[in-house]
């Protein structure tokens, strides 16, 4: 049988070197069993016949010469060279399988001292050394100098059970490192260590990138919500006392709307970086929770430290940010939660406490920090209940409008009425004090205001028919006023009920008028359309006499706190007197609010007051009662008129209309 000549001498040389380091008897043979080369475990010479010829070179043969089990496999694709391995079959086979299975596998053989005596092409290519260069080199010198631990562990493993599976960095010829995962096997009989390795540098990089992505926020590079929550849970389970600062940017929407989303993102990432750079301790993690919310975790902190950190953060925002060539000031509200004695051990509970507190910080006017406590939770729960109730009340038609008549002090004549919102909750009639704050926060004020406006103007129409001077007052909050379309809605509604604007008095507080620049133009616009404006609750809060002169108003409503003290307090009395005089001098009408007693009414008159409202005259009442009251008054009037007429013309019928 003619044996094919090996086609590739280079291959042959490579296999020959592998042969020498195999820890088992092995030979390179031609398909007819003629030995090309053999290792030292096999005492045969080239040219001798080792195998009987077989059609199936991959089969396991019982082979006569050595009486052993042999395994034969083709090395060249065309089957011209076979590798025969015998005895110690398992170990040899295992190594061979690994070695030949992938051309990318690194293969290396060390002696007992760790010197490299054989390496394959993949190893040399990866690390950039040639076989001669690296021959005899202490393999440990290829590890980073500080990695003494790996060496110790590997040596220990190899000594005790001949195996080790370390992953370590190896220095390449160019000084860079590759991370290699090794499968090392020490063969005590030959005093050699065989290593099969895999370059896992990229894999590891990809894994850590995936991990980084999973734990960090893409926009800011800060820790993300998942990671922070995990860390918090971990701390709590370890019995630490972590504190949270829930930071929410104030009015971020304004930046987004006015400068664009790009600038908004820019602000968030700059802000994130600035917060992260604030130095308040080593145990601080700044995370972005999404949107404009950041959460700061302090591994261990009490109330005082949390406060201090919050203050530091708030101060860090005093410096403006530069966005799209503009200086932008950002402020944020911070809700703090610390682990006090009542602290449960759940991360979500601590987070929800901080969240509750940030809500309160917003409510208190933003740009500040608020610490969570149980009262805050109760207040929040109430607000939540009220909001839910209010939403369904709006759907179910439980929002009503009541009216408090406004009277002329001299005659008791009803010259107008103030529309006051009510919530009919079962048998209870709830006054605005129970729900208006929540309605404002929940942005329900405009919807409520719409209801009130519609009812009130509908009710006003017949009253104005009776008395062309009748004025219907509507309370309007700042948010309602500046909401898009308010002026338009008011005009349309008045028009639809045939109510002239002159008969509608819009009541605003000084706060509404001056807290933003948006209100003033709208007030002017209302007046241009003929509506009247009243400054409500005058004398409380922001009061300034100059407002009487400068604001576009027609009426001043002097607050109840003045009226109630008229008879007891001389200072109040004289102040009220000057207010009335000043208003009159400025051509403003004055309404005194909250007149409850006859002496108060008398005092009001003596100070020059002419128009008032208060429990002394009428409590707020449903529309039907107001209409009945007016009907009665009209009839009384008619009676008086008729009586007067009678004195002039006795032929007229003196019986009032009974209809
Ligand atoms: P306000 O505008 O000052 O309305 C007068 C409040 O004083 C009313 O309270 C009225 O019931 C009460 N009051 C009237 N006379 C007396 C009195 O002699 N003694 C006492 N102690 N109180 C008197 P109410 O109805 O509870 O309304 C409270 C506030 O809610 C109002 O104060 C107003 O600021 C706001 N409000 C009421 N309705 C509306 C509305 O439809 N829209 C808006 N935006 N706010 C409203
Ligand atoms: Ca009012
Ligand atoms: Ca008032």
């Amino acid at each position: 049988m003619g044996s094919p000549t090996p086609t590739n001498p280079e291959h042959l040389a490579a296999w020959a070197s592998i042969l020498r380091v195999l820890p088992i008897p092995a030979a390179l043979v031609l398909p007819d069993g003629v030995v090309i080369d053999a290792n030292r475990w096999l005492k045969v010479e080239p040219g001798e016949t080792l195998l009987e010829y077989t059609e199936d070179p991959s089969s396991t043969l019982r082979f006569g010469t050595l009486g052993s089990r042999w395994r034969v496999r083709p090395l060249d694709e065309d089957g011209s060279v076979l590798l025969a391995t015998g005895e110690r079959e398992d170990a040899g086979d295992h190594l061979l399988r690994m070695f030949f299975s992938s051309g990318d596998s690194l293969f290396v053989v060390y002696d007992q001292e760790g010197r490299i005596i054989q390496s394959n092409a993949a190893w040399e290519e990866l690390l950039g050394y040639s076989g001669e260069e690296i021959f005899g080199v202490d393999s440990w010198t290829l590890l980073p100098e500080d990695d003494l631990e790996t060496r110790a562990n590997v040596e220990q493993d190899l000594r005790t059970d001949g195996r080790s599976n370390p992953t370590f960095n190896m220095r390449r010829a160019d000084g860079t490192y590759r991370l290699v995962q090794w499968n090392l096997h020490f063969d005590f009989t030959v005093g050699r260590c065989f290593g099969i390795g895999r370059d896992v540098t990229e894999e590891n990089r990809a894994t850590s990138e995936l991990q980084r992505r999973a734990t960090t926020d893409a926009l800011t590079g800060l820790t993300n919500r998942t990671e922070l929550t995990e860390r918090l849970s971990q701390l709590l389970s370890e019995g630490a006392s972590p504190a949270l600062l829930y930071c929410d940017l104030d009015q971020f929407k304004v930046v987004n709307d006015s400068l664009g989303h790009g600038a908004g993102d820019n602000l968030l990432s700059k802000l994130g970086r600035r917060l992260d750079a604030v130095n308040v301790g080593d145990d601080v993690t700044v995370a972005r929770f999404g949107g404009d919310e950041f959460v700061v975790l302090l591994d261990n902190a009490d109330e005082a430290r949390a406060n201090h950190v919050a203050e530091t953060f708030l101060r860090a925002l005093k410096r403006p940010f530069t966005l799209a060539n503009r200086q932008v000031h950002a402020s944020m509200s911070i809700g703090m939660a610390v682990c006090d004695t009542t602290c449960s051990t759940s991360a979500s509970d601590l987070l929800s406490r901080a969240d509750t507190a940030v809500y309160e910080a917003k409510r208190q006017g933003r740009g500040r920090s608020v610490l969570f406590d149980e009262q805050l939770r109760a207040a929040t729960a109430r607000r939540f209940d009220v909001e839910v109730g209010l939403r369904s009340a709006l759907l179910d038609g439980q929002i009503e409008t009541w009216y408090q008549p406004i009277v002329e002090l001299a005659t008791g004549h009803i010259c107008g009425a103030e529309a006051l919102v009510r919530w009919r909750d079962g048998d209870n009639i709830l006054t605005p004090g129970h729900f208006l704050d929540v309605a404002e926060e929940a942005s329900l004020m405009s919807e409520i205001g719409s209801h009130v406006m519609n009812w009130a103007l509908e009710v006003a129409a017949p009253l104005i028919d009776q008395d062309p001077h009748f004025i219907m007052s509507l309370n309007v909050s700042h948010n309602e006023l500046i909401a898009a379309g308010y002026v338009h809605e008011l005009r349309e509604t008045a028009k639809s009920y045939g109510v002239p604007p002159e008969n509608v008095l819009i009541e605003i507080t000084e706060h509404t008028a001056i807290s933003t620049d948006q209100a003033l133009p709208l007030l002017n616009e209302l007046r241009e359309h003929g509506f009247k404006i009243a400054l409500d609750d005058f004398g409380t809060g922001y009061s300034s006499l100059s407002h009487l002169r400068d604001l576009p108003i027609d009426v001043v409503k002097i607050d109840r706190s003045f009226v109630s003290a008229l008879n007891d307090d001389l200072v109040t009395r004289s102040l009220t007197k000057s207010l009335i005089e000043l208003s009159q001098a400025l051509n403003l009408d004055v309404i005194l609010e909250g007149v409850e007693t006859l002496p108060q009414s008398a005092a009001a008159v003596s100070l020059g007051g002419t128009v008032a409202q208060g429990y002394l005259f009428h409590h707020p009442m449903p529309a039907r009662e107001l209409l009945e009251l007016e009907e009665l008054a009209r009839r009384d009037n008619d009676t008086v008129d008729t009586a007067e007429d009678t004195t002039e013309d006795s032929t007229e019928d003196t019986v009032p209309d009974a209809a």
Side-chain angles (χ1 to χ4, degrees), residues 50-83:
L50 194 63
L51 298 176
E52 289 161 14
Y53 177 74
T54 170
E55 289 283 356
D56 178 9
S58 67
S59 65
T60 304
L61 303 173
R62 252 202 188 275
F63 175 59
T65 317
L66 288 170
S68 312
R69 253 173 97 81
W70 286 79
R71 173 160 290 186
V72 185
R73 70 188 72 232
L75 290 180
D76 269 356
E77 268 169 27
D78 58 3
S80 56
V81 179
L82 309 181
L83 176 71

Side-chain angles (χ1 to χ4, degrees), residues 418-420 473-475 507-508 536-537 557 593 613:
E418 177 173 7
L420 296 164
S473 280
L474 296 175
N475 291 286
E507 300 194 3
I508 50 134
D536 204 358
D537 303 341
K557 296 190 77 169
E593 294 193 291
Q613 69 189 97

Side-chain angles (χ1 to χ4, degrees), residues 128-141:
Y129 307 102
S130 72
E132 293 99 62
E133 246 180 330
I134 206 67
F135 184 82
V137 168
D138 178 356
S139 58
W140 295 115
T141 60

